[in-house]
Amino acid sequence: MASHNEGSTKAIFYALAANGGIALAKFVAAILTGSGAMLAEAIHSLADCTNQVFLLIGLKEAKKPANDSHPMGYARVVYFWAMMVAILLFFVGGAFSVVEGIKHLRSPEPINNPWVALGVLGISVVLEAFSLRGAMIEIRKISHGKSFFKWFRETRQSELMVVAGEDIAALAGLALAFVAVVLTVLTGNPLWDACGSIAVGLLLMIVAVIVMREVKAMVTGESAAPELHAAIEAHIAAHPEIDHVMNLISMQWGHQIMIAVQAEMRPQTSDIALVDAINAIEADIQSRWPQVVWCFFEPDRKKPPAAVTETELSSYP
């Protein structure tokens, strides 16, 4: 669990460093060129910096100890900050870019020093690729060979998912801005630059909605990742004290996991032996998966079929 936190923090710092340099370069280029697409990209990079700060705040708050009002701790607060990032990406990154593009469509302005804009965009691509590479390295460590898209749908690490989503959107946005500036230079028509700004904004809004959808599932309450849930269930069922697992509920709680087990136990010599067996199973689970911080175990048994009464028998034809 600690390594997952460290990996997420490392990826966030990669993104923060890259986006800080990119935002500064883009604002300078936007002032020198008057490019609407470049200004949209600068605002996007500034929003990304704020997003990374939000994610770091979330990781820090998640470490607060449990108390009477939050008996299971604050681990799920990372989902709140991830949702804030998605909203900021939608409105400040996406909506602002669309508004700027529409404004430049109505009042087209020529681009000054287009080579400055293209140079900055090229540098930004390199820095953003560096950030995405850092995120992908951390993702590969925990994805167990899954494709990126499968990992994205199944992951419960909201902050790493958000960083990866932002970086992919940023690279695609840079490509669109680059094409818009090139077309403006080649045709002399500033409408291409305005269309580039709108395209960048729409792209960011689409990515933001996708991220919101995934984070919403986490906020609502998701089980542990499917393969982890199945592994825990198989591990419990393999204990000699267990006859069979009747039900297993798992709940992702930030980087921590809560499980509730309902199982039929094999006969024990006494009630004390039964309690000892349950405690041993719980300890074994938490030893193998330290992220399972809470384990609630209910020994149960199948209800025997109800006896048929004489009255019920007489009612049959």
Side-chain angles (χ1 to χ4, degrees), residues 75-146:
R76 289 184 70 182
V77 75
V78 294
Y79 300 154
F80 166 79
W81 288 106
M83 184 63 77
M84 290 292 291
V85 167
I87 292 172
L88 191 66
L89 182 65
F90 185 94
F91 287 105
V92 178
F96 179 84
S97 297
V98 171
V99 170
E100 280 297 307
I102 293 174
K103 186 172 74 173
H104 282 79
L105 274 178
R106 292 175 175 173
S107 303
E109 297 178 7
I111 296 178
N112 302 313
N113 301 315
W115 300 112
V116 173
L118 292 175
V120 169
L121 286 172
I123 294 171
S124 299
V125 167
V126 173
L127 291 175
E128 202 66 66
F130 166 77
S131 174
L132 179 59
R133 178 178 177 273
M136 294 304 294
I137 287 173
E138 300 305 324
I139 289 170
R140 279 195 292 270
K141 291 178 182 178
I142 61 174
S143 62
H144 306 294
K146 295 178 184 176

Side-chain angles (χ1 to χ4, degrees), residues 187-200:
T187 64
N189 187 349
L191 291 180
W192 284 111
D193 182 59
C195 290
S197 179
I198 294 173
V200 169

Side-chain angles (χ1 to χ4, degrees), residues 38 54 66 87 94-95 130 147-148 181 215 234 242 284 298 303 309:
M38 183 61 67
F54 280 176
I87 292 172
F130 166 77
S147 68
F148 173 77
V181 173
V215 176
I242 300 291
D284 186 40
E298 178 189 355
K303 293 181 179 179
T309 65

Side-chain angles (χ1 to χ4, degrees), residues 228-248 259 261-266 281-282 284-285 288-289 297:
L228 178 58
H229 182 100
I232 293 174
E233 184 170 4
H235 184 73
I236 295 171
H239 280 79
E241 301 87 354
I242 300 291
D243 185 87
H244 71 278
V245 177
M246 300 172 68
N247 192 22
L248 172 67
I259 66 171
V261 184
Q262 183 185 31
E264 185 167 359
M265 307 287 291
R266 290 199 170 97
I281 294 170
E282 291 179 339
D284 186 40
I285 294 169
R288 181 163 180 177
W289 292 285
F297 201 108

